[in-house]
Amino acid sequence: MMIDTVVVAPGGPAGSPGTGVSWPSIIAGAVVACAMTLVLLAFGTGLGLSAISPWAGSGVSATTFKITTGLYLIVIAMISSSIGGYLAGRLRTAWEGVHADEVYFRDTAHGFIAWALASVLGAAVLASPATSLIGGTAAGVGQGAVTSAAQSSSPMDGYVDTILRGDPAAQNANPADARGEVVRLFTRSFRNGGELKAPDRDYTVKVVAARTGLSQQDAEKRVNDVVTQIKADIDAARKATASLAFWITASLLLGAFCASLAATEGGGLRDGTWKRRR
């Protein structure tokens, strides 16, 4: 009589060497990272509001506030990514019969994937507010005087204004119409970082002289000063937006590094190999 012996290898999906990715642990780490980011953002918002003040000589300066905000973004990324990466490594399924170098790589990949998933989730949640913030910063300064009527006007209104342009000093001129026309003129000229054309500048000077009673020379000086201020504000908004983009990029890169490193620590502590790796 022959007896067949069947040997069942321990493990299964949790212990199979072929299971290289543990999605439950990655998703858990990504969700925790997103939650920590929201908590730290709310805390940072409170700190920022308490640090600034509308009164002269009170609160931090604008430069200090920008630098502090950028550094805090990096701190948020490092803390939240480290916690999320650690959980992704610590909660992963066990790998039996896998070389130590392969385990180290998989732990690192778990942390990196958890960071990537958290970044995508955060971008999906914060996409609309961030777009409005950056877009408003970049374009809102150049259109600071734009009213809701001008924002909803047709692009053809500027050409129609040019065709129907009359004498600003006429007695029957409507001040509201003149103001709306100048708003649309400035919006069209500075929307894309352009410049007031000579006919538009001359017409604006005439409108200012008619509305304020200034001489032609004083009205021209006022228009030039306002145009210069608009350009300065647009340039400041451009620099602020570029600086914010650099800070966000730096925080994302450091977050990826921290998540990957923390995942290797979490996986090593789970397997009892962290001290040997060090």
Side-chain angles (χ1 to χ4, degrees), residues 86-128:
Y86 178 83
L87 290 178
R90 189 68 182 265
L91 298 177
R92 65 166 171 78
T93 54
W95 297 310
E96 301 293 341
V98 179
H99 193 274
D101 292 339
E102 179 65 17
V103 173
Y104 187 84
F105 171 80
R106 290 185 182 186
D107 285 336
T108 305
H110 272 64
F112 185 81
I113 297 173
W115 163 83
L117 181 58
S119 299
V120 172
L121 292 176
V125 173
L126 301 176
S128 180

Side-chain angles (χ1 to χ4, degrees), residues 43 140 170 189 267 275:
F43 179 70
S189 299
K275 292 184 178 180

Side-chain angles (χ1 to χ4, degrees), residues 155 157-166 168 178-179 181-191 194-209 216 219-220 222-224 226-227:
D157 287 346
Y159 300 104
V160 176
D161 290 338
T162 303
I163 294 175
L164 301 179
R165 184 172 291 171
R179 181 184 181 86
E181 184 179 358
V182 172
V183 167
R184 291 189 293 271
L185 190 153
F186 271 59
T187 302
R188 184 184 63 183
S189 299
F190 294 102
R191 176 177 294 156
E195 176 68 75
L196 275 177
K197 298 179 181 179
D200 295 336
R201 183 183 291 270
D202 294 340
Y203 177 74
T204 304
V205 171
K206 292 179 181 179
V207 172
V208 172
Q216 187 77 7
E220 184 174 359
R222 178 176 292 186
V223 170
N224 291 335
V226 172
V227 169

